[in-house]
Amino acid sequence: MAEIVSSSDFQSKVLDATEPVLVDFFATWCGPCKMIAPTVDEVAAEVAGRARVVKVDIDASPDIASRYGVMSVPTLVVFQGGQPVRQAVGVQPKQNLLAMLG
């Protein structure tokens, strides 16, 4: 299952990570976010050990969403070396998420 990170641990869990990190920017009230959640969790289980998958609640951590220009949810961003390298907006199939991670 994907771990929820907040403003206090985003630096250590995402930006300082040595492996690629898929960040699912979501909101609890968002229908499409609820639709993609099981897929995000499947991807998290499948890539465990070689990549990390985390979630950021845009209502709980609006500073992070603002910093990366998240305008709609779900937005999925892959970070490598502390930088965003790939992004997708909206519900995505599992193979797209795996492809984003490389």
Side-chain angles (χ1 to χ4, degrees):
M1 186 165 188
E3 172 186 11
I4 296 179
V5 298
S6 64
S7 301
S8 63
D9 56 2
F10 188 81
Q11 180 75 37
S12 64
K13 303 265 176 145
V14 177
L15 302 180
D16 294 341
T18 55
E19 68 274 355
V21 183
L22 173 65
V23 180
D24 173 15
F25 289 92
F26 79 102
T28 55
W29 46 262
C30 166
C33 299
K34 292 175 186 173
M35 287 174 50
I36 198 172
T39 305
V40 170
D41 289 338
E42 282 178 32
V43 169
E46 199 165 309
V47 300
R50 62 181 176 89
R52 185 180 296 173
V53 179
V54 300
K55 301 174 80 132
V56 173
D57 183 336
I58 64 162
D59 292 325
S61 301
D63 56 316
I64 299 171
S66 176
R67 184 181 331 157
Y68 295 103
V70 174
M71 299 299 233
S72 61
V73 286
T75 293
L76 301 125
V77 182
V78 173
F79 287 81
Q80 285 183 303
Q83 298 297 315
V85 294
R86 283 180 279 296
Q87 179 173 321
V89 178
V91 175
Q92 301 292 316
K94 181 179 174 182
Q95 60 267 29
N96 285 16
L97 301 183
L98 291 170
M100 286 175 68
L101 283 166

